[in-house]
């Protein structure tokens, strides 16, 4: 089976992991600091903290915003469960919003519609590697004095109007999971753009302690004898930091990220050329909006008819090509129904007509030829 995604791992990645094992420093080490600085410089963030997952970064975000009972947080229903969980775990209420049918990103008009006096924050997801209308959302959040969190799990190094996603809101969260463009195994990071949140972020990352004030040299991991006092429990927190092996792998991946991204872009554009050759309303490709640079994370086709989308998935899978749907709307889930009693017609109509095709940097010419051949035959059949 040609998979939907596959990480690009080579000997160089193994070299960095071996360096960690040789050092015998498996937490809070050289590569954690080095990778945080590398990402910070790349996306021009005020602060980066590596986490063991994007889920962890989302949970930190909710703690930072002091979410509590009766607070409402607007988010797309079409997204991953971690966004909703991060809010519910703090006792707050997720308010699910519609998506734009062309981009599958949260609708700006829906955000305005769902905002009430109880709204404390907005969570947006930049779906498939493409930005939502983030400038409009950011301006609205600022005007209404709402926190804005960008879920950039799909969109590392994507831009809108030449500014990196994850730096528009107060907080940005990223994923470097095995399924993402670059990987740390299971990893993520939090980007802080609101300076007032930086000190507390370090405390939350250090399990609620003020350890960072006392331990400067993480290699020695002891409090210098000339320092007075000890670090202690001062706030909420947990084991959120990324381990050193994860950090080393991610460091190696970022060093070659341009090469990985260029390959993904080339493959995505090949798909685009094939799909857009068919002038029809029976399907369309999810594409980035104007004035943006995509991360080319997913290749997503939306079919007009459910039956056709099922036929397409079945045909691909029969030929050992992974082709699958994506998210089930959160508001339609067992947990989601506890918080949402209204319908979201666009999301409900689209989600089961979405089909993803394989997209990863090591996709071979032979593999792409096989996929494209079957893709063309199917498209010819339903269009002509």
């Amino acid at each position: 089976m040609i998979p939907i995604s596959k990480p690009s791992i080579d000997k160089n990645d193994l070299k960095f992991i071996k360096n960690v094992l040789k050092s015998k420093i498996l937490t809070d080490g050289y590569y954690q600091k080095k990778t945080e600085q590398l990402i910070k410089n790349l996306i021009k963030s005020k602060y980066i903290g590596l986490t063991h997952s994007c889920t962890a970064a989302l949970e930190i975000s909710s703690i930072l915003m002091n979410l509590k009972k009766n607070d409402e947080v607007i988010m797309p229903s079409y997204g991953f469960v971690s966004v909703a969980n991060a809010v519910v775990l703090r006792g707050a209420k997720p308010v699910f919003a519609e998506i734009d049918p062309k981009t599958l990103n949260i609708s700006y008009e829906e955000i305005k519609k769902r905002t009430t006096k109880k709204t404390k924050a907005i969570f947006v997801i930049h779906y498939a590697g493409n930005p939502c209308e983030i400038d409009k959302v950011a301006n609205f959040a600022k005007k209404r004095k709402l926190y804005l969190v960008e879920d950039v799990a799909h969109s590392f190094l994507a831009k809108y109007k030449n500014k990196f996603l994850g730096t528009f809101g107060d907080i940005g969260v990223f994923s470097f999971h095995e399924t993402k463009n670059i990987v740390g195994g299971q990893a993520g990071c939090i980007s802080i753009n609101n300076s007032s949140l930086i000190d507390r972020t370090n405390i939350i990352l250090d399990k609620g302690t003020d350890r960072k004030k006392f331990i400067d040299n993480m290699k020695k991991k002891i409090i210098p004898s000339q320092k007075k006092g000890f670090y202690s429990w001062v706030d909420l927190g947990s084991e959120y930091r990324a381990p050193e092996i994860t950090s080393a792998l991610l460091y190696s991946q970022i060093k070659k990220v341009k090469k990985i991204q260029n390959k993904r872009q080339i493959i995505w554009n090949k798909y685009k050329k094939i799909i857009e050759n068919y002038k029809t309303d029976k399907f369309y490709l999810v594409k980035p909006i104007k004035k943006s640079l995509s991360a080319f994370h997913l290749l997503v086709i939306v079919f007009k008819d459910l039956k056709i989308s099922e036929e397409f998935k079945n045909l691909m899978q029969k030929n050992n090509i992974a082709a699958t749907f994506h998210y089930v709307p959160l508001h339609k889930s067992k947990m989601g129904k506890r918080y949402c009693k209204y319908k979201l017609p666009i999301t409900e109509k689209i989600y089961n007509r979405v089909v993803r095709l394989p997209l990863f940097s090591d996709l071979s010419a032979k593999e792409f030829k096989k996929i494209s051949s079957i893709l063309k035959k199917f498209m010819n059949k339903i269009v002509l």
Side-chain angles (χ1 to χ4, degrees), residues 128-337:
N130 306 323
C132 66
E133 295 176 284
I134 189 60
D135 56 342
K136 292 181 181 179
V137 179
N139 289 334
F140 177 76
K142 187 176 181 180
K143 185 178 178 181
R144 297 296 291 264
K145 296 182 179 178
L146 303 173
Y147 283 110
L148 174 58
V149 180
E150 298 175 73
D151 184 328
V152 203
H154 293 182
S155 306
F156 182 63
L157 296 186
K159 291 181 180 180
Y160 180 67
K161 293 183 178 178
N162 212 33
K163 185 176 180 178
F164 287 100
L165 303 188
T167 64
F168 284 84
D170 297 280
I171 302 168
V173 297
F174 296 80
S175 175
F176 305 112
H177 185 271
E178 174 194 327
T179 58
K180 300 304 186 289
N181 294 19
I182 61 169
V183 304
Q186 182 165 292
C189 77
I190 185 166
S191 167
I192 304 295
N193 312 300
N194 181 337
S195 299
S196 67
L197 301 175
I198 292 174
D199 287 345
R200 194 173 180 218
T201 303
N202 277 317
I203 289 170
I204 295 168
L205 281 164
D206 281 329
K207 297 173 270 299
T209 73
D210 55 355
R211 183 176 69 155
K212 206 166 183 69
K213 291 181 181 179
F214 292 87
I215 301 179
D216 298 321
N217 190 333
M218 288 301 179
K219 187 174 182 180
K220 293 181 180 177
K221 295 181 185 175
I222 62 168
I223 299 173
S225 56
Q226 67 270 21
K227 270 203 173 182
K228 294 180 180 179
F230 305 92
Y231 71 82
S232 63
W233 182 23
V234 297
D235 200 345
L236 295 174
S238 190
E239 184 59 273
Y240 288 128
R241 288 197 189 274
E244 191 67 359
I245 289 176
T246 289
S247 302
L249 175 56
L250 185 54
Y251 179 80
S252 177
Q253 292 269 300
I254 293 174
K255 297 294 278 184
K256 58 181 179 182
V257 68
K258 287 184 179 179
K259 181 181 177 183
I260 291 172
Q261 289 297 95
N262 286 340
K263 286 182 176 180
R264 295 184 77 99
Q265 183 173 358
I266 289 168
I267 295 165
W268 192 90
N269 281 327
K270 285 181 178 180
Y271 274 122
K272 179 176 181 282
K273 187 175 180 181
I274 293 169
I275 294 164
E276 293 196 334
N277 187 50
Y278 297 93
K279 309 300 179 184
T280 178
D281 63 352
K282 292 185 178 180
F283 54 83
Y284 60 87
L285 178 68
V286 172
K287 297 184 291 186
I289 59 177
K290 292 179 180 178
K291 299 181 180 179
S292 70
L293 172 67
S294 177
F296 304 101
H297 176 55
L298 299 176
L299 191 291
V300 181
I301 303 171
V302 180
F303 288 89
K304 184 178 181 180
D305 185 88
L306 176 60
K307 184 181 177 182
I308 294 175
S309 70
E310 291 296 326
E311 287 178 3
F312 181 64
K313 282 185 287 188
N314 291 339
L315 176 64
M316 285 290 177
Q317 291 178 14
K318 186 179 177 181
N319 284 277
N320 288 320
I321 299 166
T324 183
F325 71 101
H326 206 180
Y327 303 124
V328 175
L330 294 171
H331 78 285
K332 296 284 286 180
S333 66
K334 182 179 178 180
M335 276 292 287
K337 287 176 182 177

Side-chain angles (χ1 to χ4, degrees), residues 66-175:
N66 295 311
L67 293 182
K68 58 187 182 301
K69 188 178 179 181
N70 296 324
D71 286 339
E72 294 182 351
V73 180
I74 297 170
M75 65 183 67
S77 175
Y78 192 70
F80 195 57
V81 65
S82 293
V83 180
N85 268 330
V87 170
V88 172
L89 283 167
R90 307 314 316 159
K93 179 185 176 182
V95 176
F96 299 112
E98 277 285 24
I99 52 173
D100 180 310
K102 291 295 182 184
T103 64
L104 309 192
N105 274 317
I106 191 168
S107 161
Y108 169 63
E109 294 301 322
E110 266 283 300
I111 290 173
K112 292 195 293 182
K113 176 183 173 182
R114 301 289 174 193
T115 301
T116 70
K117 290 181 179 179
K118 292 182 178 181
T119 305
K120 191 165 185 179
I122 301 166
F123 278 45
V124 300
I125 298 173
H126 298 293
Y127 181 75
N130 306 323
C132 66
E133 295 176 284
I134 189 60
D135 56 342
K136 292 181 181 179
V137 179
N139 289 334
F140 177 76
K142 187 176 181 180
K143 185 178 178 181
R144 297 296 291 264
K145 296 182 179 178
L146 303 173
Y147 283 110
L148 174 58
V149 180
E150 298 175 73
D151 184 328
V152 203
H154 293 182
S155 306
F156 182 63
L157 296 186
K159 291 181 180 180
Y160 180 67
K161 293 183 178 178
N162 212 33
K163 185 176 180 178
F164 287 100
L165 303 188
T167 64
F168 284 84
D170 297 280
I171 302 168
V173 297
F174 296 80
S175 175

